[in-house]
Amino acid sequence: MRPKEIYPALKAIIVKDRKILILKRAKEEDCFKEMWDIPGGKINFGEMPEDALKREVKEETGLEIEIIKPVRVWSFFKNNRKTQVVGVTMLCKYKRGKVRLSKEHTEFKWISPEEIEDYEIHEGIKKDVKLCFNI
């Protein structure tokens, strides 16, 4: 039997010209398959959280970001409640780069914050976007 585990994660709301970047998850992903998402992922042992988020964003999108501030702390369970993910969403500013998706995602869009309700995206992410833009 697999032991229960917990891991830290970070997500990035990336803002460029008052638009935010959303990514469509691949059907092969282990959770939230084919839903829209924002970039981010797991913090590796020994890694500073800010470095982890910049690394994840670079790996998933090819972009460089500047971290502005934390938005909200969140948590969810996966793997039949054997894994708990505890994370923080960070508001970030686009610095440079052209979007190049990793195999984890199939599409990307830059949308206005008000358009977030038009996409099949986790309610927590919608909440984070609304907090950032006072919607």
Side-chain angles (χ1 to χ4, degrees), residues 67-125:
I67 298 171
I68 306 300
K69 66 178 183 177
V71 177
R72 186 176 65 90
V73 176
W74 45 266
S75 182
F76 72 92
F77 292 91
K78 65 182 197 174
N79 301 327
N80 293 321
R81 298 189 66 83
K82 289 186 171 66
T83 304
Q84 181 182 9
V85 181
V86 177
V88 178
T89 301
M90 305 293 276
L91 179 61
C92 302
K93 184 168 68 173
Y94 164 88
K95 278 178 66 175
R96 69 181 68 87
K98 184 177 178 181
V99 177
R100 293 182 319 274
L101 296 178
S102 70
K103 63 181 178 170
E104 296 173 53
H105 302 96
T106 58
E107 295 177 55
F108 75 92
K109 290 185 181 187
W110 290 97
I111 64 168
S112 71
E114 294 78 15
E115 292 176 289
I116 198 73
E117 287 295 337
D118 299 339
Y119 292 87
E120 184 183 356
I121 194 165
H122 190 278
E123 288 301 317
I125 295 170

Side-chain angles (χ1 to χ4, degrees), residues 6-19:
I6 184 170
Y7 70 78
L10 293 166
K11 287 286 195 177
I13 295 175
I14 303 171
V15 180
K16 177 185 176 189
D17 302 325
R18 186 133 168 84
K19 299 222 178 218

